[in-house]
Amino acid sequence: MDITIHSSFLPHDDPDASLAFYRDLLGFEVRNDVGYSGMRWITVGPVGQPGTSIVLHPPAADPGITDDERRTITEMMTKGTYAIITLATPDLDATFERLQAGAEIIQEPTEQPYGVRDCAIRDPAGNLIRINEIR
């Protein structure tokens, strides 16, 4: 079987702030930016890795979601407990240094007891981003 991860979805509540974060701070390239009915879906991804993308989407855009579910999603995003993604870099210290200028820092680079060295930040929508050091 030959299966890869093609895209992952993270919600945003401010498309311009999310675009600036992922493009300007993380250095991802913009692959698509689509608007529909006042909403925006922005696809970004690491330069040189065209097969891997993150789709930044309006939360609760699914018409099957109830108003109560939309409120819950909004509350969870506000607390930073709704979505998470793990990225990786060969130079965690340099990456963290760059991120300090524009990201909400949750955890500085730390050697975890389970064998991973990582840090944690939040994007403008509150999504948790863990960044592992590639060894």
Side-chain angles (χ1 to χ4, degrees):
M1 196 175 311
D2 185 7
I3 298 176
T4 62
I5 296 173
H6 178 66
S7 58
S8 182
F9 286 71
L10 291 177
H12 71 73
D13 52 8
D14 181 338
D16 293 325
S18 290
L19 180 60
F21 180 86
Y22 285 93
R23 181 192 59 207
D24 303 336
L25 190 61
L26 287 181
F28 285 2
E29 63 185 7
V30 178
R31 307 229 170 105
N32 205 0
D33 190 339
V34 178
Y36 177 75
S37 294
M39 297 179 281
R40 270 172 80 187
W41 286 258
I42 304 165
T43 304
V44 297
V47 175
Q49 297 180 43
T52 303
S53 298
I54 298 171
V55 180
L56 305 168
H57 66 93
D62 183 336
I65 294 177
T66 67
D67 288 341
D68 284 342
E69 290 168 332
R70 280 188 179 83
R71 277 191 292 280
T72 299
I73 290 168
T74 300
E75 289 170 6
M76 291 178 72
M77 284 176 64
T78 301
K79 292 187 333 186
T81 58
Y82 185 66
I84 182 173
I85 192 165
T86 301
L87 306 176
T89 182
D91 190 344
L92 184 62
D93 294 319
T95 299
F96 183 76
E97 181 77 23
R98 181 176 173 190
L99 294 175
Q100 287 185 30
E104 177 187 351
I105 305 300
I106 302 302
Q107 173 206 299
E108 294 187 4
T110 303
E111 188 72 41
Q112 301 293 353
Y114 42 87
V116 173
R117 184 167 185 263
D118 71 353
C119 68
I121 61 173
R122 289 202 197 286
D123 75 3
N127 298 309
L128 181 63
I129 301 171
R130 299 201 72 83
I131 303 174
N132 290 355
E133 183 172 64
I134 298 171
R135 300 185 197 191

